Amino acid sequence: MSLSTATAHSSLYATNFEVYVNKADFKFNAAHFVAFQGFRERLHGHNYTVGVRLLGSRKICHDGYVLDFGDVKKVVKAVCKKLNERFLCPTKSDVIDTQIVDTENDGRKSVVLTCEDGSRFVIPLDDCAMIPIVHATVEELAIYTWGEILDGLDPELLRRRGIHTMEVVMAEAPGQEAVFRLEIPETKNGEKFRLDVPSFINSGEIELKPKPCFGQEGISETRNKAKLSDTGPGSRSVTPKNTAADGHANCEDCGLASFSKQLEALASALNNRGPLDDELTADDLRSLLEKE
């Protein structure tokens, strides 16, 4: 069963009651990296936290609850446990080739990730959470966990109790969170509902420019190299192959820009100390350094 993304932006219900559950143990620690065409983060990790909001109708149930907090806590803890101390592996990535292979000798399986930039990771399968998402971002994790939590709570039960919408808040750090809210689908006879995460991603062609300091270690050398050309005595310019919107393409370029500013500041300080036959410029200082 699938659901149009348009449903996420519409609701026919007026809400008087809602509950929000966000406990200290609604958390998991996991490693990941985000990768899309032309870009890959370094492997790193976060301490993720999860919150769940359930929106009900004008009246609560005969037991006085929108939904028992205990039911929510049990399900969310189970979802977090499956992700805790794992590498979050996006199985639908369009820039990461993912293969599950047998490990030599011990018969265990490993996940082999080959990235667009040529980087290769081999991680034991038991240490991975294989998630049907495209990018291991907090936004897509919020969509994925929404579906897992809904499955554990039972959408038919929620509907019978007058709960029509669920919201998941996924945070990767304090002040860095994504919120995913969607109307609970109508299912029958225990029908399983599965969210198709890629359907919530814009499929249009959007130009993504390389980010500043793109050329960190481990990124393809073709994106790190800059073309050096002489422009006159004692000077040279750097023309990056991939230049981001602010003029920087990789860490080398950022370093050159910073060094040039330091030379300009030094030249200004020397000129202010006393009269010179000729005013010093940053290019003069650069020429002296190159002669050395």
Side-chain angles (χ1 to χ4, degrees):
M1 179 178 181
S2 62
L3 195 65
S4 169
T5 56
T7 309
H9 306 291
S10 65
S11 178
L12 302 177
Y13 299 86
T15 302
N16 280 358
F17 288 98
E18 62 180 63
V19 293
Y20 180 65
V21 191
N22 181 13
K23 305 295 290 183
D25 51 1
F26 285 9
K27 64 181 181 179
F28 60 95
N29 309 317
H32 84 134
F33 59 82
V34 175
F36 52 81
Q37 187 174 9
F39 176 77
R40 178 181 67 79
E41 288 183 319
R42 291 184 185 277
L43 179 65
H44 63 284
H46 293 285
N47 298 318
Y48 294 90
T49 59
V50 182
V52 178
R53 188 183 308 277
L54 298 168
L55 284 69
S57 56
R58 292 180 179 275
K59 294 183 179 181
I60 54 179
C61 287
H62 65 281
D63 54 10
Y65 294 140
V66 172
L67 187 68
D68 190 333
F69 288 148
D71 295 339
V72 180
K73 290 189 287 186
K74 180 180 178 180
V75 170
V76 177
K77 288 178 185 178
V79 172
C80 290
K81 185 177 181 179
K82 291 195 301 182
L83 302 175
N84 190 44
E85 297 182 349
R86 299 289 194 277
F87 169 72
L88 306 179
C89 183
T91 61
K92 293 183 177 292
S93 171
D94 56 353
V95 294
I96 304 174
D97 178 65
T98 303
Q99 302 288 335
I100 298 178
V101 301
D102 291 324
T103 305
E104 294 182 4
N105 302 324
D106 61 9
R108 297 182 180 180
K109 294 185 180 296
S110 294
V111 178
V112 180
L113 306 171
T114 305
C115 302
E116 182 189 37
D117 62 8
S119 299
R120 188 170 181 267
F121 300 85
V122 181
I123 306 172
L125 179 59
D126 290 343
D127 290 346
C128 295
M130 309 300 287
I131 308 176
I133 57 179
V134 182
H135 316 91
T137 60
V138 70
E139 291 87 348
E140 292 188 38
L141 286 172
I143 302 171
Y144 167 74
T145 53
W146 189 98
E148 294 296 296
I149 293 170
L150 180 70
D151 188 41
L153 290 177
D154 183 359
E156 290 184 44
L157 172 63
L158 297 181
R159 279 286 189 175
R160 288 198 300 270
R161 296 189 67 91
I163 299 170
H164 55 79
T165 300
M166 184 170 73
E167 172 184 289
V168 167
V169 181
M170 175 71 65
E172 63 181 14
Q176 294 176 208
E177 61 187 34
V179 179
F180 181 71
R181 182 187 301 109
L182 191 65
E183 185 176 324
I184 295 170
E186 295 184 10
T187 59
K188 296 180 180 179
N189 302 321
E191 179 185 7
K192 293 291 184 180
F193 175 75
R194 288 289 179 266
L195 281 178
D196 180 28
V197 175
S199 70
F200 291 88
I201 300 174
N202 192 327
S203 59
E205 292 294 329
I206 300 177
E207 182 180 359
L208 298 174
K209 296 183 179 180
K211 295 185 176 183
C213 296
F214 178 88
Q216 51 191 308
E217 290 181 10
I219 302 299
S220 174
E221 290 185 0
T222 60
R223 297 192 178 93
N224 288 344
K225 292 181 179 178
K227 180 181 178 182
L228 301 180
S229 60
D230 292 331
T231 57
S235 66
R236 63 179 182 173
S237 66
V238 180
T239 307
K241 290 186 177 181
N242 285 314
T243 303
D246 65 353
H248 296 287
N250 54 45
C251 293
E252 181 182 357
D253 301 330
C254 294
L256 289 172
S258 176
F259 181 60
S260 295
K261 289 182 179 179
Q262 292 175 14
L263 288 179
E264 291 172 1
L266 178 59
S268 177
L270 291 173
N271 289 327
N272 291 334
R273 291 190 63 178
L276 299 173
D277 293 338
D278 294 305
E279 185 173 294
L280 279 174
T281 66
D283 285 342
D284 294 330
L285 296 176
R286 188 179 291 107
S287 296
L288 290 173
L289 291 173
E290 289 180 349
K291 289 178 181 179
E292 293 295 325

